[in-house]
Amino acid sequence: MPATESCRRVFFAMFALSFAAVAVRGAEPTMTVEVDLRDMPRRLVRTTIDVPCKPGAELALWHPKWIPGTHAPCGANEPVAGLRIAAPDGTVVPWRRDDLDLYRIVCKAPEGVDRLRVSLDTICNEATVEASGHLTFGNDKIGVVNWSTCILYPEGPTAAETLVALSTRLPNGWKHATALKTKSNEGGLIRFEPVSLVDLIDSPLIGGEHLKTTKLDTGPYPPAFFNLVSESPEATELRPETIAKYSRVVREAGALFGSCHYEEFQFLTTLSDELGYLGLEHLASSINGVKERDLIDDQRRTGWIANLIPHEYVHSWCGKYRRPAGMATASFHQPMATRLLWVYEGLTEYLGEVVMVRSGLVSLEDYRKTLAHTIDGLILQAGRGWRPLDDTAVASAFLRSPSPNWNALRRSQDYYMEGALLWMEIDATIREKTAGAKSLDDFCKAFLGGPTKPEKVDPYTFEDVVAALDGVVAHDWKTLLEDRVSKPLDALPVDFVSKLGYRIEYGSTPPPPFRGRRPGAGGAAARHSLGLSFDAEGVVTDVVVGSIAEKAGLAKGRKVVAINDRLFSPDALRDALVASVERGKVDFLLTEGDSLKPLALTYRDGVKNLTLVRDSSKPDVLADILKPHDKSEAKKEEQPKETPKAAAVSPEHPKGYVAHRAPRPIDVDGKLDEEAWAAAPWTDAFVDIEGNRKPRPRFPTKAKMLWDDAYLYIAAKLDEPHVWGTLTEHDSVIFHDNDFEVFLDPDGDNHKYYEIEINALNTEWDLFLPKPYRDGGKAENAWEIPGLKKAVAVQGTLNDPSDEDQGWTVELALPWKAVAEHAGRAVPPHDGDQWRINFSRVEWRHEIAYGKYRKIPKTPEDNWVWSPQGVVDMHRPESWGYLQFSATEPGSPVAFRHDPADATRRRLMQIYHAQNAYKRNNGRWADRLAPLSLPDPPPGQAVPTVALTPDGYEASLTFTPDGGKPQTWAVRQDSLLVPKP
């Protein structure tokens, strides 16, 4: 997911995050873990864990207890089949379990020992309907691995601070899929890039002999991959139109939320009759489990099965990124406060259904039946009269498994479906109050979308939810929510049905079918008439509280042999209800021990099933809610067939600027009052680092450049109503203040480039990078710029919150001598030369406390740039703008010349990113283009070639500029991009 800090910020800042970790390249792992899955077919997993300890001190180790997404302390410590702790020399270290918390293991490290080895054996129990998404289980063909089941972690550091180097061994012949990035795959040992314990437990793995990965068509949104594994290879062969619908799921979610909080997404899906149904959400992946033929058979892909994948995907925004504050805990043994699950799960349930229909997985007509089934299932919940909705959330841990008897009195996890109806009501209310001008989509973009925080989680409170709704349209949302959520209710609120353009009727229409996770009741139902449900044999499976049947003393488990002198069957029940209009009763014959007992129920209202009926006097708001929002399909249909995909080459070229030669040296004082500066053009106004997908910056920024034989001159104007700064020491991490930044790559090969940052106090940080962080580069912070001239002028008062300022200006003179060593070309430049350059402005939101400026806690910074990067990462030199040098004086008419190799360079970088994705998924580089799933090339572009090298690979592409000779460019696995001789 796109981070809110660039990679270099992560590298240098080393934030001590409370909720989610940032993997720091080169940091020493806290733990090393090897999980041996080769015995998974025999239902055993063996794990070896190396953990740090203090010599001679007590060490406490925890089984993960509160697993995100389960909403209960249900970590898997019961199936532990072996636990041994030893010193490096093999000496056994005794351990004991905590008397009060059974998830906690305590031992004492021997003197002189600073690391212990833990051997943990785990039994893979069978999947269960309600709690399998967080377990590890499988058979000889397929498996699901949740790392929380086979790990212990040390007490003390937060989960975000605990860095884990994980490796695993799979059964012979298995392939795998996970959001974890593969570092190497040698000798059957798969090593993953180190991640925090947070990210590890948030990144499950599926594997098997028959695993198929398909790259979805995500349009303008980050890549997503559909991973299917089954005992049967035929089950993974989805039709193109089915894959297209799951591609639309991604695009519809993108259109709904406006932004994504992951770099790429992995749908991890098992298709197995043995493993059955399961589902659990994660930030950059989701676990989904259905029966073997559920996705290849359109008739089976309905109800819960159709909703599963959209629901878990929506959780990436609602539940994983935005999370109730009480559930954003710092460790996996800290209890979670689940009262706001009616938002976490209820809103996700509603939005998952919306995305499901908008993407075409379910038709509007079928969804109306599903909605009727939902209302029908909730309207008879008698427990609503004593237990408010938010208590079903607080009590989720023991309501997760339904009671076998009188569950309607107890209530279930109603925060899911009743919560979904509440959010449907809110959506309808917003549309009603704004005459259709706004909807819950606006709330979703503001509350669940937006920029991503470094912590990868943005906690919220009840008050935050109310405020966000008020931001869409003014209404007494607080009272509405408290009435619906925090108070017992006599009946299910159904007024929203009228706002949708429908009404509830009880008629003879058969009850709507619904395909759920649990085996169906089979037989028949007469819930709204007699108050009974039956299985296929006539056994009573449910009795409605307060119904005729309950008053007659019927209970679950009684068997009805006959109805109106006919043997029990669904048809016999229906005929008896029809006849009741005239007979005024229904006659049952029940078993009682080894005898039979007649029972007559007084009833005369016939067949009575809940249905939704369209009210033609009102607009069909439900249909409007469920209209597709993704426009990419329509745009594709409008294009001629020969038009290439829009994704082939970005329509937005990097920015270009012509820097003129200064007629005389510039006096660097920060004021920009020389005639040369007045004549030099400004760059375009800065935009968000991600480009047009994000709002315009709050304050204008622009820059200009000049040069002479000694210096490259750079000026910038930053409008700012409050100018402040705190850092005064050279080479501080300047972007912790508001700052202005320069990035310079003279020869444009993505390697050996420079960075300069400066704040309003004129404090500067300069560094040199041999290659980008993404390619293993490490910044040389000790590098300095001898002879650098710098100055800042403030238009207002610095660090004075009592007034309003105009902004600040920056002036830099970068000596050519400082960059000559790694420029890779003529310095000073020649007339017409082009270098790669970009500018960034970091702007923090602030508040005033005790007469001083203070950054608002847990609020990400804004990143505004000259030439947009497309992602929140300045260290992608291939996206920087072009600086063209002109020997003419400022004001001379010199046109910028677009780089004729630009399309070729971008195509090679597409290959570079595709190769990285392929290696993460397969543990090796691709030796040909076919498996890389590249977008179509622009018309007339040649076909690239790929060749493996001892270090990785080289991809090459030849083009012929207008009137010129053919040129060949090449990119390597470390993103070095150069023309070949």
Side-chain angles (χ1 to χ4, degrees), residues 787-798:
L788 174 70
K789 297 181 180 180
K790 58 187 180 69
V792 168
V794 176
Q795 292 79 54
T797 54
L798 182 63

Side-chain angles (χ1 to χ4, degrees), residues 523-524 526 530 534 560-580 583 585-588 607:
L530 304 179
F534 305 89
V560 176
V561 178
I563 305 175
N564 284 5
D565 299 325
R566 293 172 59 190
L567 291 176
F568 175 85
S569 70
D571 288 340
L573 175 62
R574 181 177 177 81
D575 291 345
L577 292 173
V578 173
S580 72
R583 297 181 74 240
K585 66 174 183 174
V586 175
D587 290 319
F588 285 169
V607 179

Side-chain angles (χ1 to χ4, degrees), residues 280-292:
L280 196 67
E281 65 271 14
H282 301 280
L283 183 69
S285 64
S286 65
I287 281 285
N288 315 281
V290 296
K291 296 296 184 67
E292 183 177 297

Side-chain angles (χ1 to χ4, degrees), residues 507-587:
S508 59
T509 303
F514 184 79
R515 183 173 176 83
R517 286 187 289 184
R518 296 180 175 277
R527 288 163 47 81
H528 295 282
S529 49
L530 304 179
L532 289 170
S533 298
F534 305 89
D535 70 7
E537 304 300 322
V539 176
V540 174
T541 58
D542 189 35
V543 178
V544 174
V545 177
S547 67
I548 295 170
E550 198 238 336
K551 292 175 181 177
L554 281 173
K556 181 181 178 182
R558 297 296 300 274
K559 183 172 182 178
V560 176
V561 178
I563 305 175
N564 284 5
D565 299 325
R566 293 172 59 190
L567 291 176
F568 175 85
S569 70
D571 288 340
L573 175 62
R574 181 177 177 81
D575 291 345
L577 292 173
V578 173
S580 72
V581 176
E582 294 184 7
R583 297 181 74 240
K585 66 174 183 174
V586 175
D587 290 319

